[in-house]
Amino acid sequence: MLTITIYDVAREANVSMATVSRVVNGNQNVKPATRQKVLAVIERLDYRPNAVARGLASKKTKTVGVIIPDISNVFYAELVRGIEDIATMYRYNIILTNSDQQEDKEVQLLSTLLSKQVDGVVMMSDEISSEMLHEMNRATVPIVLAGTVETSNSFPSVNIEYHDAAVDAVNRLIKNGHKRIAFVSGSIDSTITKLYKVSGYERALNEASIEIDTDLIVGVNNTYDDGLVAWDQLRELKDPPTAFFAGNDEIAIGLIHGAQDNGLRVPEDIEVMSFENSKLTRMVRPQLTSVVLPLYDIGAVSMRLLTKHMNKENIEENNVILPYWIEERKSVK
Amino acid sequence: MLTITIYDVAREANVSMATVSRVVNGNQNVKPATRQKVLAVIERLDYRPNAVARGLASKKTKTVGVIIPDISNVFYAELVRGIEDIATMYRYNIILTNSDQQEDKEVQLLSTLLSKQVDGVVMMSDEISSEMLHEMNRATVPIVLAGTVETSNSFPSVNIEYHDAAVDAVNRLIKNGHKRIAFVSGSIDSTITKLYKVSGYERALNEASIEIDTDLIVGVNNTYDDGLVAWDQLRELKDPPTAFFAGNDEIAIGLIHGAQDNGLRVPEDIEVMSFENSKLTRMVRPQLTSVVLPLYDIGAVSMRLLTKHMNKENIEENNVILPYWIEERKSVK
DNA sequence: ATGAAAGCGCTAACAG
DNA sequence: CTGTTAGCGCTTTCAT
């Protein structure tokens, strides 16, 4: 299994390894004739540069680390696809890791990524622990936060205006005459949910002079079943909600099915506004009206932002805010 | 940004770098006292081994490549999660790449993975082109096929008995009295679909003496919309199908909604059998009856098989067949 | 335009 | 149990 190296190519082509290195790296300081000669030998020997050796010598690996909670969740998968596409465009590969939202695992993942000498990291997390922040600050390569906020804004990031989006979403429901509007969300203690979404929900109610009932704010996990469970819990209330603002599409669908399984119609009897806009929105009846969280774009822009840092390009805006809007479908009148 | 190396640790601890290397690698041939001393210095200097240098010296990178069609598709995301979990267990990281099912891209991805010196590769593909096979044979590291068949069986693989599964699925529909059963699937020209699923479909019909009508076999893509479109196409037939065998869950849901949007009831008027059993099966009404394709397990077992090859362990079975079954829910009576 | 040589940070004999 | 010494395959000055 003798691997053929740059040295073999050099010998066969009667040039120095430096010259081979130059043609491999597209350096212009090579006479066309010798370039051809070298290229021919590379072809003949089927030479393939060893990226590990290259990484050691150049201190650049052309690979970036990605830390997300769980790739089997469409939510994050969409984000990763955005990251990957832009990474490919800039000739980077990605090492993908799942944190399952565990703080200690996040720290450890970042640590191994750094030991693997990634050129940068894109990460998404509900909540950045102080240990994680410490590890992040130790890093000598850029780290960008995708769809996650770190309150001091000391790291590059890409997000939307979650607060405004929540206000708009709830206003949409208020406009339809609802007074009893529930907010059902996962990651209820995460920075984004707590600081931005809940506050947006409350602000909209306040502005409409609707009393805030904490019974109507329910924290669950992010799955379909949680939507179902939340429905069951909420309908027990003496004065149950007539409209729901869901933290994501799966929860929204659970809520809808909960209602339908109880003989209620959506949107005639119950209205549901979601917050995600994955492809699932179209796969329910009625189709989901949802705030658009552009996950693919958040991933893509995050990766682009990361390349700018890695290349030490000029950065106009280090904390990017992407636009959002509400995609009207059939779960809200 | 001076990086601290094994050499710095050695100097500070008054030992040779070999000793530091030994403690870092858990080699037992180190006196406990010196081990403690070295560990203390590592802690103090915040030393972190450079995996790239280690990779160059040891010719092992502890990272494996993964080639799949598209991570934003739950189907593949589930597979990747299985791969990742086992990889983590064996201390490997994964470089994730998307081929979008393009042959040239697959070849190129494999090539860059190999140049990055991955210790092995897990890949999934509808169809392995001859160029790809050639590139695979060039590889000096093990490659395992997850949920994909290469007819010569010359590579390790993990699959289920697609043919038998298709026969069972269609028999289930025949048992309910259907004579007009459609097969709607994506990747219709892929090895698995063509050789195993279609043949299973035909076999079941033949055994029940039901005539095969090629109008009832429709090749589409793998999305929800394709299910909708296929429905519209099939209902135009003078003698339209009363039951459907769908290639995956999204198609199945499209078919169901197509029927429901036309005022038909599932399963009373129309029955639908799926083939995947993702979490989507529970997120429709009626919930989907489906053949269980254990994607997570296929990923996990593939990765485990890969570790066996990488460690040169003894391999009992190189072409693993996992069990399948039909999960009964409500879309089939 | 090309070559020589010094590392990059670590592993792995080998010697003692 | 510990140290010495070669590399691993490539990039990158520095000469020429």
Side-chain angles (χ1 to χ4, degrees):
Chain A
M1 206 77 61
L2 74 175
T3 69
I4 80 125
T5 73
I6 199 174
Y7 194 77
D8 299 313
V9 176
R11 181 170 27 72
E12 292 289 311
N14 283 311
V15 295
S16 72
M17 55 185 294
T19 298
V20 177
S21 176
R22 287 190 187 99
V23 347
V24 167
N25 291 296
N27 185 316
Q28 288 309 303
N29 294 334
V30 181
K31 202 198 311 180
T34 66
R35 177 189 305 284
Q36 292 314 317
K37 187 172 56 175
V38 172
L39 251 17
V41 175
I42 286 178
E43 171 88 353
R44 179 159 60 79
L45 299 190
D46 204 11
Y47 167 69
R48 183 184 283 151
N50 180 324
V52 171
R54 198 193 291 228
L56 182 57
S58 70
K59 292 174 171 294
K60 300 216 158 317
T61 56
K62 279 290 182 181
T63 111
V64 302
V66 174
I67 303 175
I68 54 163
D70 176 15
I71 193 60
S72 68
N73 185 320
V74 270
F75 192 89
Y76 306 112
E78 194 64 34
L79 180 93
V80 170
R81 193 37 147 122
I83 296 172
E84 231 272 336
D85 283 354
I86 304 302
T88 300
M89 200 169 294
Y90 285 84
R91 310 238 113 85
Y92 284 89
N93 286 111
I94 70 176
I95 295 184
L96 179 77
T97 65
N98 300 105
S99 69
D100 289 317
Q101 212 66 260
Q102 293 170 228
E103 298 184 354
D104 53 335
K105 210 166 164 188
E106 285 180 335
V107 172
Q108 183 234 306
L109 289 174
L110 179 55
S111 176
T112 72
L113 286 175
L114 295 176
S115 82
K116 293 222 169 173
Q117 314 301 119
V118 294
D119 295 337
V121 173
V122 177
M123 67 169 282
M124 180 176 237
S125 174
D126 269 2
E127 184 91 64
I128 300 191
S129 66
S130 56
E131 292 75 30
M132 188 58 176
L133 204 53
H134 176 251
E135 186 75 12
M136 288 167 71
N137 282 314
R138 262 185 70 189
T140 57
V141 295
I143 298 176
V144 356
L145 299 175
T148 110
V149 342
E150 190 279 304
T151 39
S152 76
N153 260 8
S154 52
F155 284 90
S157 65
V158 180
N159 286 287
I160 67 165
E161 290 287 9
Y162 306 100
H163 177 84
D164 297 356
V167 171
D168 288 359
V170 176
N171 274 339
R172 184 72 183 69
L173 262 10
I174 291 173
K175 200 183 74 182
N176 282 5
H178 296 280
K179 301 288 184 205
R180 299 289 290 166
I181 301 173
F183 176 48
V184 181
S185 177
S187 315
I188 200 77
D189 290 322
S190 77
T191 314
I192 289 176
T193 306
K194 200 167 40 183
L195 254 48
Y196 302 123
K197 293 205 205 167
V198 171
S199 80
Y201 164 83
E202 295 179 336
R203 167 132 172 243
L205 294 186
N206 278 331
E207 287 179 348
S209 303
I210 298 174
E211 193 188 358
I212 289 168
D213 178 351
T214 53
D215 281 349
L216 258 27
I217 300 178
V218 0
V220 293
N221 287 314
N222 279 310
T223 75
Y224 171 73
D225 285 330
D226 291 295
L228 248 21
V229 169
W231 166 267
D232 286 340
Q233 174 184 328
L234 257 8
R235 68 186 288 261
E236 296 297 322
L237 263 33
K238 63 203 144 316
D239 188 7
T242 56
F244 296 80
F245 177 33
N248 73 8
D249 290 343
E250 280 203 32
I251 291 173
I253 296 175
L255 256 9
I256 287 180
H257 285 164
Q260 292 173 338
D261 290 352
N262 274 274
L264 295 173
R265 294 160 307 159
V266 180
E268 294 81 356
D269 305 319
I270 296 288
E271 298 189 61
V272 178
M273 168 73 72
S274 187
F275 195 120
E276 175 176 355
N277 199 53
S278 67
K279 60 177 13 171
L280 288 180
T281 54
R282 303 182 46 248
M283 297 171 61
V284 223
R285 293 302 140 93
Q287 297 189 332
L288 275 179
T289 291
S290 177
V291 171
V292 175
L293 213 204
L295 285 159
Y296 179 92
D297 294 343
I298 290 177
V301 173
S302 295
M303 185 61 210
R304 177 63 184 109
L305 184 54
L306 184 60
T307 64
K308 287 184 184 171
H309 274 95
M310 293 188 297
N311 300 332
K312 304 199 186 323
E313 288 178 40
N314 189 36
I315 315 264
E316 329 69 61
E317 181 51 61
N318 211 23
N319 297 104
V320 180
I321 297 297
L322 260 26
Y324 70 88
W325 66 95
I326 292 177
E327 193 71 43
E328 300 279 353
R329 278 185 279 256
K330 306 293 184 185
S331 64
V332 172
K333 276 186 278 197
Chain B
M1 206 78 61
L2 75 174
T3 71
I4 80 126
T5 74
I6 200 175
Y7 194 77
D8 300 313
V9 175
R11 182 170 26 73
E12 292 289 310
N14 283 312
V15 295
S16 72
M17 55 185 295
T19 297
V20 178
S21 176
R22 287 190 187 96
V23 347
V24 167
N25 292 295
N27 186 316
Q28 289 307 303
N29 295 332
V30 180
K31 199 198 311 179
T34 67
R35 176 188 306 284
Q36 292 315 316
K37 187 172 56 174
V38 171
L39 252 17
V41 175
I42 286 179
E43 172 88 354
R44 179 159 61 79
L45 299 190
D46 204 12
Y47 167 69
R48 182 184 284 150
N50 180 326
V52 172
R54 199 194 291 227
L56 182 57
S58 70
K59 291 173 171 298
K60 296 209 161 323
T61 55
K62 279 292 184 178
T63 110
V64 303
V66 174
I67 302 175
I68 54 163
D70 176 16
I71 192 61
S72 67
N73 186 319
V74 271
F75 192 90
Y76 306 112
E78 194 63 34
L79 179 94
V80 170
R81 192 38 146 122
I83 295 172
E84 231 272 335
D85 283 355
I86 304 302
T88 299
M89 199 169 293
Y90 285 85
R91 309 238 115 85
Y92 284 89
N93 285 111
I94 70 177
I95 294 183
L96 179 78
T97 64
N98 299 299
S99 69
D100 289 316
Q101 211 66 261
Q102 293 171 227
E103 299 183 353
D104 54 335
K105 211 167 163 188
E106 286 180 335
V107 172
Q108 183 235 307
L109 289 174
L110 179 54
S111 176
T112 71
L113 287 175
L114 296 176
S115 82
K116 293 221 169 174
Q117 313 302 117
V118 293
D119 295 337
V121 173
V122 177
M123 66 169 281
M124 179 175 240
S125 174
D126 270 2
E127 184 91 65
I128 300 192
S129 67
S130 57
E131 291 75 31
M132 188 59 176
L133 204 54
H134 176 251
E135 185 74 14
M136 289 166 71
N137 282 314
R138 262 185 71 189
T140 57
V141 296
I143 297 178
V144 358
L145 299 176
T148 108
V149 343
E150 192 278 305
T151 40
S152 76
N153 259 9
S154 53
F155 284 89
S157 65
V158 180
N159 287 287
I160 67 166
E161 290 287 9
Y162 305 99
H163 178 84
D164 296 357
V167 172
D168 288 359
V170 176
N171 274 340
R172 184 71 184 70
L173 262 10
I174 290 173
K175 201 184 72 182
N176 283 4
H178 295 280
K179 302 288 182 204
R180 299 289 290 167
I181 301 173
F183 176 48
V184 181
S185 176
S187 315
I188 201 78
D189 290 321
S190 78
T191 314
I192 289 176
T193 306
K194 200 167 43 186
L195 253 50
Y196 302 122
K197 293 204 204 168
V198 172
S199 82
Y201 164 83
E202 295 178 337
R203 167 134 173 242
L205 294 185
N206 278 331
E207 288 179 347
S209 302
I210 298 174
E211 191 189 359
I212 288 169
D213 177 351
T214 53
D215 281 349
L216 258 28
I217 301 178
V218 358
V220 292
N221 287 314
N222 278 311
T223 74
Y224 171 72
D225 285 328
D226 290 296
L228 247 21
V229 169
W231 166 267
D232 286 340
Q233 174 184 329
L234 256 9
R235 67 187 288 261
E236 296 298 320
L237 263 35
K238 63 204 144 320
D239 190 7
T242 56
F244 296 79
F245 177 33
N248 73 7
D249 290 343
E250 280 202 32
I251 291 173
I253 296 175
L255 256 10
I256 287 180
H257 285 165
Q260 293 174 337
D261 291 351
N262 274 273
L264 294 173
R265 291 161 309 158
V266 181
E268 294 81 356
D269 307 318
I270 296 290
E271 298 191 60
V272 178
M273 168 72 74
S274 186
F275 195 119
E276 174 175 354
N277 199 53
S278 67
K279 54 161 46 153
L280 288 181
T281 53
R282 303 183 46 249
M283 297 170 62
V284 223
R285 292 304 139 92
Q287 297 188 334
L288 276 178
T289 292
S290 178
V291 171
V292 175
L293 212 205
L295 285 159
Y296 179 91
D297 294 343
I298 289 177
V301 173
S302 294
M303 184 63 211
R304 177 64 185 108
L305 184 54
L306 183 60
T307 65
K308 287 184 184 170
H309 274 96
M310 295 188 296
N311 300 333
K312 304 199 185 322
E313 288 178 40
N314 189 37
I315 314 266
E316 327 71 61
E317 180 51 60
N318 212 23
N319 297 105
V320 180
I321 297 296
L322 260 25
Y324 70 88
W325 65 94
I326 292 177
E327 193 70 43
E328 301 278 352
R329 280 187 277 257
K330 305 292 182 186
S331 63
V332 172
K333 276 185 276 197

